[in-house]
Amino acid sequence: MSDSSPGAVPAGAFSRRALLAAAVAGTAAVAAGCTSSDGDTADAVTPAQVDRLAEQVAVQAALVAAYDRASAGSAEVATEVAVLAAQARAQLERLVAAAPGAAADPTAGPSSAPGDPAGVRALLRAEVGRAAAAHAAACPDFTGARAALLGSIAAGLRGAEGRLA
Amino acid sequence: MADGESTPTSGRTAVGPEEAALQDALAAAHVAVWGYGVVGAALPGTDREPADVALAAHRDVRDEVAGLLDARGVDPVPAEAAYALPFPVLSPVDAAALAVTLEDGVAAAWAWVLDQAGERSTRAWAVVVLADAEVRAVAWRAAAGLTPVTTAFPGLPGS
């Protein structure tokens, strides 16, 4: 046996993951105007990217709103999707922090949801799939921590989509 | 080649941040390919299909990353002869937990590729690989009895 191990993969990646965390935190700080962005060209954003990030915030806000409406329409579904809804909200918060000047619009999203649990789940699954596709499509347009954040959120939503099947 | 400083190595060419991250992703793929052999061996024959499918996926990614690095004049990092398990794998639940560890390791590596890649095409590829890893991880977390089975930020620290 060598000294390497599957368990050592996360451990080996830890320092880099820690750096990534710092990068994401730095992005949020820059977005909030807490620090200067000099020297971090990878995380600098163009006006077009600012608009694109605002679009992704709107996509995620619509998803959060869809979870809220689905949960209001079915107690059974509300229980089932509580964790997924909380994760979607956490994703929205991180996106807002990474998007200069963006704010979440909680009123976005579909205006109604079917009342039967199966229909609600199907609607939610479609919403989650759309959001995942949108974030995945936007991800390559960014570099650095924002690319990692969008890609990670897209991946997380793909996982959630599977749970709603 | 990604932007940023290049680091001379013993390979054929200097390694930039993108190639260094891809090397990490390749190393994670090597571990996953080896680890899924253990996962499959611990599962009943009738339940091995997900492990076989995952193994094939990681082999494909491994070969693609190695080919990309080679095309860029970088010597792909080789696999170790064997790896030490992070815990004993004595049951199907243990196997599922190991699969989660493998997929989480791969996800972390590809999130780092996203962070480091200068090439748009690399980022477009990375987001697909990262999502595939998380979809598999969700299924394995359920099989392992872990909760929650989903994560908000796969591959990112603290996820």
Side-chain angles (χ1 to χ4, degrees):
Chain A
M1 289 281 192
S2 77
D3 290 337
S4 301
S5 72
V9 171
F14 179 80
S15 60
R16 293 180 175 85
R17 296 181 75 186
L19 287 171
L20 187 55
V24 171
T27 297
V30 170
C34 297
T35 68
S36 69
S37 59
D38 55 344
D40 192 4
T41 55
D43 280 340
V45 288
T46 66
Q49 287 176 321
V50 170
D51 292 343
R52 190 71 190 268
L53 279 170
E55 292 173 11
Q56 302 318 122
V57 168
V59 165
Q60 191 69 24
L63 178 60
V64 169
Y67 272 116
D68 289 345
R69 268 188 289 277
S71 297
S74 168
E76 178 184 337
V77 171
T79 301
E80 288 178 7
V81 305
V83 170
L84 298 180
Q87 290 176 344
R89 190 164 282 104
Q91 291 164 339
L92 175 60
E93 290 170 359
R94 290 277 287 270
L95 274 175
V96 168
D105 175 7
T107 63
S111 59
S112 64
D116 67 293
V120 171
R121 277 188 218 98
L123 178 65
L124 269 179
R125 184 166 192 253
E127 287 288 326
V128 171
R130 273 193 289 273
H135 295 324
C139 170
D141 291 340
F142 294 87
T143 55
R146 287 186 177 89
L149 179 61
L150 283 166
S152 176
I153 291 174
L157 292 176
R158 285 299 179 204
E161 182 184 24
R163 295 301 292 175
L164 291 166
Chain B
M1 179 70 84
D3 295 331
E5 294 182 10
S6 295
T7 305
T9 71
S10 59
R12 289 169 284 165
T13 188
V15 176
E18 177 170 323
E19 286 74 25
L22 286 169
Q23 289 279 39
D24 287 348
L26 177 57
H30 285 316
V31 173
V33 167
W34 183 89
Y36 266 107
V38 177
V39 172
L43 295 172
T46 53
D47 294 339
R48 283 182 190 159
E49 184 180 356
D52 292 342
V53 170
L55 174 58
H58 288 296
R59 278 181 175 150
D60 287 347
V61 170
R62 176 199 64 188
D63 294 345
E64 288 181 60
V65 176
L68 177 62
L69 288 167
D70 188 61
R72 293 184 181 184
V74 177
D75 290 331
V77 62
E80 300 282 347
Y83 300 84
L85 292 171
F87 47 80
V89 180
L90 305 174
S91 70
V93 171
D94 295 337
L98 177 59
V100 172
T101 300
L102 298 172
E103 298 294 355
D104 285 349
V106 167
W110 282 94
W112 185 241
V113 171
L114 279 172
D115 187 276
Q116 294 290 291
E119 296 284 348
R120 190 185 192 284
S121 60
T122 302
R123 295 193 297 277
W125 181 27
V127 72
V128 172
V129 179
L130 176 55
D132 288 347
E134 175 59 11
V135 168
R136 288 189 295 267
V138 166
W140 288 120
R141 287 187 201 108
L146 301 174
T147 56
V149 298
T150 54
T151 55
F153 305 103
L156 295 187
S159 61

